[in-house]
């Protein structure tokens, strides 16, 4: 029995590193029964099912692996398995609620990639994941050469890479030394920001072991940002880690906390620059909300003149229709974007709160939260409102 178990372990290890393939569907199913608590092995067996055309078995294996990866806080492997699952199901059946929830339940602040993803609203995370692909590299592969165009952003799912860069020596003019650093799971590479200006690699990146990454191309990110403009600021902040930049440049760069889909009507009173002038009052709907700020949809009625709002102090009345009440909060308008959604041109503005109490935020989460399934209802409500 021990010999059989050892044989199975060898096969599973081979499946995981790509050195072994199994040609019997029954053998794969037997292997799956023996690795109920090993998500990496279950994922590898799922890949084997795909190779053999057993797509229903593969989907079931991927689903099981996702649950186990999430339980162990391994979010990137869970995303990779989710994307492989999506390759086998109808587009209408795709969702990432389990991963979205997990990102909001774990401590993500020490891992820049997780922190970036956790700050996305559900629709943004879904859009980004739909553009990702799972890419594998064998040991010894050079993934980036010095001077290569930075055309994609890569999140390391598994394996070890070595990154080499030239560093100037301050004590000897005109001389450089080679500096190396290993990249592991949950690291990332690819300096794709700014998106409209191609950058060139300042490093050489080699696969030391078998490596798997989640790759999203710069051009695809640009498409995502046309529909979800706030994603740009998160990717910009993520890329700042590549250069070791410290601190935060402006209110436009960061969202201070995780966001939730809290859609409700808001009334904004924008204070004038000069004493004696009347405040500007604008109505809209929140797209999402966090303890640090909110994204508000204004609509076509405010197409002109809204560009001058950035930097203005605003008092926001956030309505809670269920209880016929509301919460006032002061903030600053941090950014403005023109977008086109549902074939209608609209204005989105980002507001950073000066302060949102914990009790008020929990109150809003309790009474204003809507799930992704209710998005059409919210849009219809907003559309009927702005037509008045």
């Amino acid at each position: 029995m021990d010999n059989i178990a050892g044989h199975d372990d060898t096969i599973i290890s081979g499946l995981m590193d790509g050195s072994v393939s199994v040609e019997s569907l029954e053998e794969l199913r037997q292997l799956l029964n023996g690795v109920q608590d090993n998500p990496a092995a279950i994922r590898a067996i799922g890949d084997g099912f795909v190779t053999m055309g057993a797509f229903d078995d593969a989907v079931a294996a991927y689903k099981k692996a996702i649950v186990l990866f999430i339980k162990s806080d391994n979010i990137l492997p869970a995303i990779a398995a989710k994307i492989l699952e999506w390759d086998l199901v109808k587009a209408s059946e795709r969702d990432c609620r389990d991963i979205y929830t997990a990102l909001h339940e774990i401590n993500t602040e020490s891992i820049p990639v997780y922190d970036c993803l956790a700050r996305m609203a559900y629709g943004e995370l879904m859009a980004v994941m739909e553009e990702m692909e799972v890419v594998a590299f064998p040991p010894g592969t050079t993934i980036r050469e010095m001077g290569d165009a930075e055309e994609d952003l890569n999140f390391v799912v598994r394996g070890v890479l070595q990154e080499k860069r030239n560093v100037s020596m301050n004590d000897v003019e005109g001389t450089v030394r080679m500096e190396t650093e290993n990249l592991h799971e949950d690291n990332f590479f690819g300096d794709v920001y700014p998106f409209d200006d191609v950058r060139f690699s300042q490093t050489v990146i080699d696969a030391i072991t078998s490596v798997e990454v989640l790759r999203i191309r710069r051009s695809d990110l640009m498409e995502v940002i046309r529909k979800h403009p706030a994603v740009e600021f998160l990717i910009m902040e993520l890329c700042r880690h590549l250069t070791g930049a410290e601190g935060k440049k402006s209110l436009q760069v960061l969202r201070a906390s995780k966001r939730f889909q809290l859609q409700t009507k808001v009334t904004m009173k924008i204070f004038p620059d000069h004493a004696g002038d009347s405040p500007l009052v604008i109505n809209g709907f929140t797209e999402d909300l966090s303890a640090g700020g909110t994204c508000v949809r204004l609509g076509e009625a405010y197409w002109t003149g809204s560009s001058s709002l950035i930097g203005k102090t605003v008092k926001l009345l956030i309505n809670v229709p269920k209880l016929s009440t509301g919460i006032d909060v002061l903030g600053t308008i941090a950014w403005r974007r023109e977008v086109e959604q549902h074939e209608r041109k609209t204005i989105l503005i980002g507001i950073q709160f000066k302060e949102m109490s914990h009790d008020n935020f929990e109150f809003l989460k309790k009474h204003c939260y809507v799930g992704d399934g209710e998005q059409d209802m919210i849009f219809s409500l907003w559309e009927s409102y702005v037509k008045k």
Side-chain angles (χ1 to χ4, degrees):
M1 182 66 70
D2 289 343
N3 287 338
I4 295 174
H7 175 69
D8 287 351
D9 289 343
T10 300
I11 294 175
I12 291 169
S13 296
L15 284 172
M16 292 168 64
D17 65 20
S19 63
V20 170
S21 61
V22 175
E23 298 181 359
S24 165
L25 193 57
E26 188 57 37
E27 184 177 2
L28 277 178
R29 289 171 177 157
Q30 290 176 357
L31 289 171
L32 183 62
N33 290 332
V35 291
Q36 296 301 310
D37 298 322
N38 186 333
I42 294 170
R43 150 68 204 281
I45 293 170
D47 294 345
F49 283 134
V50 171
T51 300
M52 300 184 67
F55 301 132
D56 289 342
D57 288 283
V59 168
Y62 290 146
K63 288 181 180 295
K64 187 177 296 185
I66 291 165
V67 171
L68 294 174
F69 278 131
I70 287 174
K71 283 184 178 179
S72 57
D73 294 344
N74 291 314
I75 305 301
L76 289 186
I79 291 176
K82 177 66 72 175
I83 290 168
L84 293 172
E85 175 197 330
W86 284 355
D87 288 342
L88 305 175
V89 301
K90 298 176 182 177
S92 60
E93 297 175 1
R94 296 178 180 177
D95 72 76
C96 61
R97 290 177 181 82
D98 44 2
I99 290 168
Y100 177 79
T101 299
L103 284 166
H104 285 74
E105 291 179 346
I106 65 175
N107 181 11
T108 62
E109 293 181 1
S110 62
I111 305 175
V113 170
Y114 286 6
D115 197 45
C116 174
L117 297 174
R119 294 176 190 275
M120 294 181 185
Y122 178 79
E124 294 169 351
L125 179 65
M126 186 80 175
V128 168
M129 285 177 53
E130 286 186 321
E131 298 298 340
M132 288 179 173
E133 58 179 330
V134 181
V135 183
F137 301 97
T141 303
T142 297
I143 300 172
R144 277 285 196 284
E145 292 276 14
M146 196 83 70
D148 284 351
E150 295 278 17
E151 294 289 359
D152 43 63
L153 181 62
N154 299 268
F155 302 153
V156 183
V157 176
R158 61 174 174 84
V160 180
L161 305 103
Q162 185 178 77
E163 184 178 38
K164 294 180 285 189
R165 62 173 63 85
N166 292 323
V167 179
S168 298
M169 297 178 65
N170 295 329
D171 52 341
V172 184
E173 185 176 351
T175 61
V176 297
R177 61 182 173 83
M178 182 68 74
E179 191 175 82
T180 64
E181 180 183 356
N182 285 347
L183 302 178
H184 303 273
E185 294 175 9
D186 299 336
N187 289 152
F188 73 101
F189 61 92
D191 193 4
V192 295
Y193 192 86
F195 300 113
D196 56 355
D197 182 20
V198 178
R199 301 173 72 88
F200 297 94
S201 176
Q202 302 299 307
T203 66
V204 177
I205 299 178
D206 298 310
I208 304 303
T209 67
S210 295
V211 169
E212 185 173 89
V213 301
L214 288 166
R215 169 172 290 175
I216 181 167
R217 299 188 183 281
R218 184 171 62 91
S219 57
D220 292 332
L221 268 174
M222 292 173 71
E223 285 298 317
V224 170
I225 288 163
R226 287 189 180 97
K227 298 179 181 178
H228 304 279
V231 170
E232 178 176 356
F233 306 124
L234 297 177
I235 300 299
M236 175 170 138
E237 182 65 18
L238 179 66
C239 287
R240 281 165 56 85
H241 287 275
L242 293 172
T243 57
E246 298 292 334
K248 312 295 184 262
K249 276 191 173 179
S250 71
L251 299 178
Q252 286 180 262
V253 176
L254 245 215
R255 295 176 184 140
S257 50
K258 297 173 185 175
R259 298 186 300 149
F260 297 83
Q261 289 177 281
L262 306 178
Q263 282 95 359
T264 189
K265 180 182 172 182
V266 294
T267 301
M268 297 181 294
K269 181 184 288 187
I270 301 171
F271 295 99
D273 294 328
H274 305 290
D277 291 348
S278 299
L280 175 65
V281 178
I282 296 179
N283 295 309
F285 278 88
T286 58
E287 287 279 290
D288 52 67
L289 186 141
S290 75
T294 184
C295 173
V296 176
R297 180 184 292 273
L298 299 183
E300 286 180 288
Y302 303 105
W303 181 255
T304 59
S306 60
S307 58
S308 62
L309 299 180
I310 296 174
K312 300 284 190 182
T313 298
V314 59
K315 183 176 183 180
L316 199 68
L317 172 62
I318 304 173
N319 292 278
V320 184
K322 294 179 183 178
L323 303 180
S324 299
T325 187
I327 289 175
D328 288 326
V329 59
L330 287 175
T332 302
I333 298 177
W335 53 265
R336 167 197 180 275
R337 279 301 176 95
E338 302 168 3
V339 298
E340 188 167 328
Q341 294 179 351
H342 301 272
E343 299 182 351
R344 182 178 293 277
K345 192 175 290 184
T346 64
I347 297 290
L348 297 180
I349 64 171
I351 297 176
Q352 179 157 343
F353 297 145
K354 294 184 182 297
E355 182 178 0
M356 166 72 78
S357 72
H358 174 76
D359 288 345
N360 279 347
F361 185 54
E362 292 301 316
F363 177 79
L364 291 172
K365 283 169 59 179
K366 179 178 180 180
H367 295 292
C368 298
Y369 177 79
V370 298
D372 185 61
E374 298 171 82
Q375 292 296 323
D376 290 340
M377 176 193 73
I378 290 297
F379 182 78
S380 297
L381 175 64
W382 170 82
E383 189 176 44
S384 65
Y385 172 75
V386 297
K387 284 182 178 178
K388 291 180 179 179

